[in-house]
């Protein structure tokens, strides 16, 4: 407790709200991908918005910067404190669901609520909160909002931005922005909540959010389709979207290498096709109709598209198994070895040409890289990851792969981050590759809302 | 051409791009509701983003403020220049559709494009642009973006904000914000386009936008249901939303007085119920299924809810006729006489209690007011308008009605503008009734992006 900030916080906060023990801080200092090792004065765990205000004001007085942290599941280092003169403010104890209004289709939850718990609370009222991603069991709402998280059902329901109606946040000067609106429509000027969504904790500390709910889905239909190439995946997506627009919940692409490492590391997850096809598409429908009707609509699509040999789940457990084949790919990659990860945004119709061009360029310039290509085809979001055989020259390989793939992505009208954000990992790339006016406007807004740079310096702007 | 700005613009712009003739300016100086009579130096009609930059820079040099104007269909005076030292910048000649990508479900159009033309362009590619409102034939994209327009299909597709992927805008210092992104997902920091959507022209001049398209709807089912009271409308909405979520495109409420003035002023629009019921709900479904399937789903809902006597459109012309009954209410009100208009946002579940309380309070305090209550029930958006018998004391009556209804609206968790915006008409109310931190943040952002107040002073902030 040598630092005067810690001494002051110890008088302001309850005893268990301040953590300085090295073993308890350790997991907070390492980012999810274990690539950044941070440092900090300590961890504050406020239980109320008022406590957050006190912490922010104390940090300002002592010139200590604040790193907001949720479930620490981000993939670009946005929640890792890299300077010693920092305080992590964790949302763990801001964990109440403040309101649930089934008739109004809204739920208001504090920043520390875990996504799965929010989904369960909505379900208990026969409602759906559709945000769903690999880290649903540990990601917290504040981080989901701060990173504008995407996931597996964006095609139908949008990403976090589209699911947030209102925000409560503590600003750098200690003011509380009280914007927990529950109204679907409110045209009252600049939509301030948008500033905090996707801001990666750089403009304030989000303490709570009001979320949109949807009718519970009565049924689901899932199919895995074997396809010869990305062009065929695109053609099937076009047909699915046009024919099944309102019930098309997800459309994922999985390539042969992803299926191969799944067979190797998760042999218990059954694969419907043998031999492994060059590509597969996972199609999920859901809605208020009977399961039989959805299955028929999906079967009609597959017949019309000439894919009668697709694997159509016959029940919920088969549907889960098909989803497991998609969901476990990142885990299979981790077991396979080091991998260079990308989260590319692309115009949907450019994906096949991009995949071909990227494979060709890699084969020539980085022949040891083994592409594992999968992702949210329906959202134009490709996780174009590269297995790499060694740790020794991983970082050199990564730098070369990034340059090559980002060049190609931008040339195809895409961008370097679809859902993971900028964080620390992509900051230099964003500065180098994005429109200078866009970057300048962000810095101007940052300077307006956080003139002393209290919140998350070195991240995003 | 006495003012030096006009002399300079005459050298910068093509001959027909500068209008100063009083007869041509006159319709630009009167707001849509004919309540504000403006004044101006002239009207500039740029044909390109580069010309907008020149106009903005010239206005700055000469200390003249800019009032962006689209179709001049706004209802809160946001496009009416109230100071002589102003220049109207009209989007009329920025009227090209720059790109249409059916496979990517996007369309990029300039600010002057008229909504109906955008919808038609999308239709020509078998796509839907779902924004649809009374002024679709004259509203221009720049104004729709600037006001975050809502309309008749928000329940399903969202308002303008949810339909915009990217924005191009000229800033107060002449920089161009080039954010015409076509990507569905792009997590690259603060979502700057959100600042310009709903900003009512106070932060920059929007020159173009990229819009989200949807699969063309193959079929539609429409019903009008007679109901005893707003409680019954709410109950039916709850059931419709839960049962038909993904195909429920619109759910409108219409009260007896609205039906009565429709019968009086538009007798050619058939009314299915006699005598006129206390309330009616218009329900519209649409989607990719066969018309018969949608009609069956709607009929099932009505039977389950005990409304077998509803009027279910048997074909497209009957559907149009039911819609006409809803769409012509504002015109019927104009024919009926003066009316005090409101655009209230309310929690959906509070609407019945609000309507009862408002009727009771008006009967006591403003007994001559004749409520005409209709609106987008499914979005929690009520047009609670009041017919008033005379022009003489209209403004006093309006002031009393506003105070009464806004008090009640806020007491029910609602707000004073759902889709029309703040403009000039609601500015004092917004300052008085909205969270001071929210208002202060808006002023801070305004001061950052437009420090000299070039854009639309007196509007919104």
């Amino acid at each position: 407790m040598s630092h005067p900030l810690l001494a002051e916080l110890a008088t302001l906060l309850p005893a268990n709200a301040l953590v300085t023990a090295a073993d308890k801080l350790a997991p907070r200092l390492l980012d999810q991908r274990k690539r950044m090792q941070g440092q900090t004065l300590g961890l504050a765990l406020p239980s109320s918005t008022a406590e957050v205000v006190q912490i922010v004001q104390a940090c300002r007085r002592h010139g200590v910067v604040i790193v907001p942290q949720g479930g620490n599941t981000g993939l670009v280092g946005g929640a890792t404190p890299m300077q010693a003169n920092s305080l992590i403010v964790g949302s763990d104890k801001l964990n109440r669901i403040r309101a649930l209004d089934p008739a109004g289709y809204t739920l208001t939850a504090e920043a520390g609520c875990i996504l799965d718990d929010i989904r369960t609370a909505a379900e208990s009222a026969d409602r759906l909160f559709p945000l769903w991603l690999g880290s649903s069991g540990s990601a917290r709402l504040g981080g989901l909002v701060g990173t504008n998280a995407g996931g597996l059902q964006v095609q139908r329901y949008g990403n976090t931005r589209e699911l947030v109606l209102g925000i409560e946040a503590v600003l750098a000067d200690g003011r509380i922005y009280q914007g927990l609106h529950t109204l679907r429509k409110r045209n009252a000027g600049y939509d301030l909540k948008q500033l905090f969504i996707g801001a990666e904790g750089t403009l304030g500390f989000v303490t709570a959010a009001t979320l949109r709910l949807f009718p519970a889905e009565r049924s689901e239909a899932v199919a895995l389709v074997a396809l010869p190439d990305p062009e065929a995946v695109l053609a099937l997506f076009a047909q699915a979207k046009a024919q099944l627009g309102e019930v098309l919940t997800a459309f994922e692409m999985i390539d042969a290498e992803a299926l191969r490492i799944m067979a190797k590391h998760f042999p218990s997850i059954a694969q419907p096709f043998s031999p492994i096809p060059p590509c597969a598409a996972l199609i999920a429908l859901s809605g208020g109709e009977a399961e039989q009707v959805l299955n028929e609509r999906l079967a009609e699509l597959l017949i019309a598209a000439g894919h009668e040999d697709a694997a159509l789940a016959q029940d919920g457990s088969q549907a889960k198994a098909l989803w497991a084949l998609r969901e476990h790919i990142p885990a299979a990659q981790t077991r396979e070895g080091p991998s260079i990860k990308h989260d590319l945004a692309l115009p949907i119709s450019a994906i096949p040409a991009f995949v071909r061009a990227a494979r060709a360029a890699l084969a020539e310039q980085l022949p040891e890289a083994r592409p594992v290509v999968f992702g949210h085809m329906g959202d134009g979001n490709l996780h174009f990851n590269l297995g790499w055989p060694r740790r020794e020259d991983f970082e050199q390989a990564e730098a070369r792969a990034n340059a090559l793939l980002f060049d190609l992505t931008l040339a195809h009208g895409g961008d370097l981050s679809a859902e993971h954000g900028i964080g620390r990992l992509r900051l230099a790339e964003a500065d180098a590759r994005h429109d200078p006016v866009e970057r300048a406007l962000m810095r101007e807004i940052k300077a307006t809302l956080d003139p002393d740079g209290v919140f998350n310096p070195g991240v995003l702007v």
Side-chain angles (χ1 to χ4, degrees), chain A:
Chain A
M1 291 280 176
S2 58
H3 195 283
L5 170 68
L6 299 179
E8 182 172 342
L9 287 178
T11 68
L12 291 172
L13 300 177
N16 58 359
L18 193 57
V19 177
T20 53
D23 60 327
K24 292 211 170 138
L25 289 180
R28 303 284 192 153
L29 294 172
L30 190 62
D31 81 300
Q32 167 76 12
R33 294 187 54 204
K34 299 185 171 39
R35 303 203 45 190
M36 296 180 198
Q37 177 60 55
Q39 48 183 335
T40 191
L41 294 173
L43 163 70
L45 296 170
S47 302
S48 67
T49 305
E51 285 182 7
V52 176
V53 171
Q54 288 188 306
I55 292 165
V56 170
Q57 288 174 333
C59 284
R60 275 182 74 100
R61 280 193 295 274
H62 293 278
V64 171
V65 305
I66 291 170
V67 177
Q69 197 175 85
N72 198 17
T73 62
L75 297 170
V76 290
T80 308
M82 297 305 286
Q83 62 186 81
N85 188 39
S86 65
L87 183 77
I88 303 174
V89 181
S91 59
D92 311 39
K93 295 187 177 186
L94 294 162
N95 58 5
R96 289 170 307 153
I97 289 183
R98 291 196 194 164
L100 173 55
D101 175 9
Y105 284 81
T106 65
L107 182 154
T108 300
E110 293 183 340
C113 290
I114 287 172
L115 178 51
D116 271 349
D117 296 337
I118 294 171
R119 288 173 56 91
T120 302
E123 267 165 39
S124 72
D126 202 28
R127 295 292 178 262
L128 170 72
F129 181 60
L131 193 63
W132 179 41
L133 30 83
S135 57
S136 295
S138 49
R140 296 180 191 271
L141 180 58
L144 295 163
V145 168
T147 58
N148 184 28
L152 295 159
Q153 301 193 141
V154 175
Q155 155 63 32
R156 166 86 165 265
Y157 292 104
N159 51 16
T160 302
R161 187 179 301 282
E162 293 166 76
L163 302 174
V164 172
L165 286 170
I167 290 279
E168 179 186 87
V170 176
L171 307 179
D173 57 9
R175 285 182 297 178
I176 299 171
Y177 166 58
Q178 184 46 266
L180 284 178
H181 304 294
T182 58
L183 300 163
R184 175 77 191 276
K185 286 164 83 172
R186 179 180 184 268
N187 260 359
Y190 314 152
D191 192 8
L192 297 173
K193 69 170 178 285
Q194 305 288 351
L195 282 175
F196 301 97
I197 303 170
E200 301 183 357
T202 59
L203 295 180
F205 188 98
V206 172
T207 48
T210 299
L211 306 171
R212 279 181 73 186
L213 303 181
F214 292 79
E217 292 173 341
R218 309 256 167 254
S219 56
E220 186 188 30
V222 181
L224 194 76
V225 190
L227 294 159
D229 51 38
E231 282 79 359
V233 182
L234 175 65
L236 182 56
F237 170 70
Q239 201 164 347
K241 173 106 174 168
Q243 200 168 321
L244 302 169
E246 70 272 11
V247 290
L248 182 64
T249 303
F251 192 103
E252 302 281 314
M253 178 163 99
I254 309 172
D255 82 344
E257 183 64 9
L259 293 172
R260 194 192 64 76
I261 64 171
M262 278 301 298
K264 179 175 168 191
H265 300 288
F266 291 97
S268 65
I269 298 177
Q271 298 214 10
F273 307 117
S274 176
I276 285 173
C279 264
L282 187 152
I283 310 177
L285 314 187
S286 57
E289 292 174 297
E291 193 128 302
Q292 195 195 333
V293 176
L294 281 183
N295 275 323
E296 278 166 17
R297 291 186 73 180
L298 185 47
E300 274 167 27
L301 168 77
L302 296 172
I303 290 166
H307 302 296
E308 294 88 343
D309 55 342
L312 213 158
Q314 298 302 310
D315 56 34
S317 77
Q318 286 188 13
K320 270 207 177 75
L322 292 181
W323 266 118
L325 205 49
R326 163 64 185 83
E327 286 179 88
H328 286 73
I329 297 170
Q333 280 200 280
T334 303
R335 296 187 186 184
E336 182 73 2
S339 75
I340 302 165
K341 290 181 190 280
H342 298 102
D343 167 46
L344 307 176
L346 286 156
I348 294 170
S349 49
I351 287 179
F354 170 81
V355 172
R356 271 180 205 283
R359 285 187 188 282
L362 285 163
E364 196 186 305
Q365 295 176 44
L366 218 60
E368 286 183 287
R370 180 167 274 195
V372 176
V373 184
F374 64 101
H376 318 297
M377 175 90 179
D379 315 325
N381 180 188
L382 226 50
H383 296 306
F384 199 106
N385 296 346
L386 305 175
W388 189 251
R390 296 169 302 276
R391 299 226 169 262
E392 299 84 88
D393 57 353
F394 178 86
E395 290 188 1
Q396 298 90 305
E398 184 180 45
R400 290 180 59 199
N402 286 354
L404 184 159
L405 285 174
F406 293 157
D407 282 352
L408 264 179
T409 300
L410 271 71
H412 282 80
D415 213 326
L416 52 88
S417 179
E419 58 181 10
H420 293 174
I422 301 299
R424 296 180 184 279
L425 196 65
R426 302 287 184 233
L427 181 56
E429 291 286 357
D431 278 332
R433 293 175 183 269
H434 286 161
D435 177 24
V437 175
E438 179 185 50
R439 298 299 296 165
L441 277 171
M442 288 190 202
R443 287 191 296 270
E444 291 161 28
I445 289 165
K446 169 76 174 173
T448 302
L449 268 75
D450 182 17
D452 302 327
V454 172
F455 282 113
N456 228 0
V459 169
L460 183 54
V461 280

